[in-house]
Amino acid sequence: MTTDHTPRLYALAASILGFFLAWAGIAAHPWQTTSSAASQSAALETYSRRLNADAALVAALAGRRKAASSVRVVTLPPLTTTRTS
Amino acid sequence: MIRHAFTAMGTEVELLLEAEDSSLLTEVEAEFRRLETVLSRFRSDSELAQLNEAGHGHVGPELLELIELAVEARTASCGRFDPTVHDAVVAAGYDRSFELLQDAGADPAAAPPRVGGAITIDRTTGRVALEPGFRIDLGGIAKGWAADRALAVLANAGPALVNAGGDIAATGRVWPIAVDAGDSKITLGLEDGGLATSGRDRRAWVRNGEARHHLIDPVTGMPEESDVMTVTVAAGSACEAEVLAKTLFLAGDSQRALDEAELAGIPTVLGTSTGEVLLAGGLR
């Protein structure tokens, strides 16, 4: 008496296919919308650009100071006033 | 102490000198008036106005030096300070000497002019060329520069201070200087160097019912909108202080301006639109 293995093979193939489909589905993170992922990436990019710009500006400002002026808060009566020029 | 005051370059100029001889004061006043004929954007016969009109030309040593300083400041401030804001300032309504400004009604629908035009300088020939469509306004740097020059002359006679409309250069002693920042009563003692204030509390006007001021954000071409009201900065010279004050004013918000001042160690007094006065850069 011979055993027909065909149904078993079909079942095995179907379960392997199902496993890979489920794996691909989970790996695609379907609960995270495409637009939020894209906006998160754009926000990170903007933040990174701003940090770089700030770092460059602060370095430039610091480098520009030829000589530190000697200044401090005092309680003397003022002789003149600085205001918007 | 001798005190001498006069009006020049569209602002009040005050000279303080601890010396017996006052002859240098009149000499300095004459120099301020001469510089106005070179640097004013409101006088059609000034060297600057003629350069703006033609878009290129040979300029004298003072205008050349100032344009070079302005271009250097643009680079150092990553574009926040920009001498090519001329048309944006005019579009905002500052199209004549400040005391003559009225609500003349600019076109509110007009797009803000571009800022950031190229300036080509040939130092050996003294020739300057502006990118077509751009003109220069040196109002943001000229008064500080003139104050530094005047101080160099007065310092030969004794301790001196030059105040050109709020841009101050001083040397020789501790000069107590009040900071006009809202309700603040802060007084700074400046021994040697410069002090300058940028803000929207003055040189502000109403255009088509909207509040405008003279400090242009080069990115938008429009007057800067933020919670910063005034920024006062101390530096090695009045010219440098003026550039730094404007750069910090255009930081975008008060916290960012304070952070930058703190990180770079720039002595700063910042007044906010809510009346707060905050110190940074080593001032306590």
Tab-separated table of all heavy atoms in Angstrom, chain A residues 4 9 31 33 40-42 60 72-73 75 82:
chain	number	residue	atom	x	y	z
A	4	ASP	N	-0.046	8.583	-0.534
A	4	ASP	CA	0.013	9.749	-1.429
A	4	ASP	C	0.468	10.979	-0.620
A	4	ASP	O	-0.234	11.445	0.274
A	4	ASP	CB	-1.379	10.001	-2.022
A	4	ASP	CG	-1.318	11.117	-3.045
A	4	ASP	OD1	-0.191	11.641	-3.294
A	4	ASP	OD2	-2.386	11.485	-3.578
A	9	LEU	N	2.540	17.765	0.753
A	9	LEU	CA	3.473	18.713	0.122
A	9	LEU	C	2.790	20.054	-0.141
A	9	LEU	O	3.382	21.126	0.082
A	9	LEU	CB	4.015	18.139	-1.195
A	9	LEU	CG	5.057	17.048	-1.024
A	9	LEU	CD1	5.395	16.407	-2.373
A	9	LEU	CD2	6.320	17.610	-0.381
A	31	TRP	N	1.505	49.480	10.497
A	31	TRP	CA	0.840	50.372	11.454
A	31	TRP	C	1.436	51.792	11.414
A	31	TRP	O	0.863	52.718	11.931
A	31	TRP	CB	0.988	49.805	12.866
A	31	TRP	CG	2.442	49.581	13.255
A	31	TRP	CD1	3.272	50.485	13.801
A	31	TRP	CD2	3.183	48.381	13.080
A	31	TRP	NE1	4.505	49.923	13.994
A	31	TRP	CE2	4.488	48.627	13.571
A	31	TRP	CE3	2.886	47.107	12.561
A	31	TRP	CZ2	5.480	47.669	13.541
A	31	TRP	CZ3	3.879	46.162	12.552
A	31	TRP	CH2	5.168	46.437	13.033
A	33	THR	N	2.189	54.960	9.256
A	33	THR	CA	1.785	55.480	7.945
A	33	THR	C	3.004	56.039	7.216
A	33	THR	O	3.939	56.554	7.819
A	33	THR	CB	0.750	56.603	8.082
A	33	THR	OG1	1.367	57.661	8.771
A	33	THR	CG2	-0.467	56.134	8.826
A	40	GLN	N	8.671	62.631	9.640
A	40	GLN	CA	9.661	62.473	10.705
A	40	GLN	C	11.071	62.619	10.133
A	40	GLN	O	11.922	63.301	10.701
A	40	GLN	CB	9.508	61.084	11.312
A	40	GLN	CG	9.549	61.084	12.811
A	40	GLN	CD	9.242	59.716	13.376
A	40	GLN	OE1	9.381	58.700	12.691
A	40	GLN	NE2	8.821	59.685	14.611
A	41	SER	N	11.251	62.005	8.982
A	41	SER	CA	12.558	62.080	8.339
A	41	SER	C	12.880	63.509	7.929
A	41	SER	O	13.998	63.992	8.132
A	41	SER	CB	12.548	61.158	7.114
A	41	SER	OG	13.645	61.433	6.323
A	42	ALA	N	11.871	64.213	7.399
A	42	ALA	CA	12.083	65.613	6.991
A	42	ALA	C	12.384	66.485	8.198
A	42	ALA	O	13.247	67.364	8.149
A	42	ALA	CB	10.845	66.120	6.262
A	60	ALA	N	31.582	81.228	14.007
A	60	ALA	CA	31.929	82.459	13.294
A	60	ALA	C	31.859	83.660	14.228
A	60	ALA	O	32.730	84.527	14.209
A	60	ALA	CB	30.981	82.660	12.115
A	72	ARG	N	31.011	95.431	32.286
A	72	ARG	CA	30.333	94.762	33.389
A	72	ARG	C	29.153	95.628	33.819
A	72	ARG	O	29.084	96.812	33.478
A	72	ARG	CB	31.293	94.541	34.557
A	72	ARG	CG	31.835	95.806	35.172
A	72	ARG	CD	32.847	95.537	36.276
A	72	ARG	NE	33.271	96.743	36.958
A	72	ARG	CZ	34.213	97.562	36.540
A	72	ARG	NH1	34.847	97.300	35.407
A	72	ARG	NH2	34.529	98.642	37.219
A	73	VAL	N	28.241	95.030	34.557
A	73	VAL	CA	27.113	95.791	35.089
A	73	VAL	C	27.623	96.630	36.257
A	73	VAL	O	28.347	96.130	37.119
A	73	VAL	CB	25.988	94.840	35.558
A	73	VAL	CG1	24.855	95.629	36.200
A	73	VAL	CG2	25.468	94.015	34.386
A	75	THR	N	26.790	100.211	39.075
A	75	THR	CA	25.721	100.978	39.724
A	75	THR	C	26.010	102.470	39.669
A	75	THR	O	25.395	103.261	40.380
A	75	THR	CB	25.560	100.530	41.185
A	75	THR	OG1	26.839	100.614	41.825
A	75	THR	CG2	25.030	99.123	41.287
A	82	THR	N	22.876	103.864	25.464
A	82	THR	CA	22.835	103.163	24.179
A	82	THR	C	21.394	102.766	23.908
A	82	THR	O	20.685	102.299	24.806
A	82	THR	CB	23.745	101.912	24.158
A	82	THR	OG1	23.597	101.273	22.884
A	82	THR	CG2	23.395	100.907	25.252
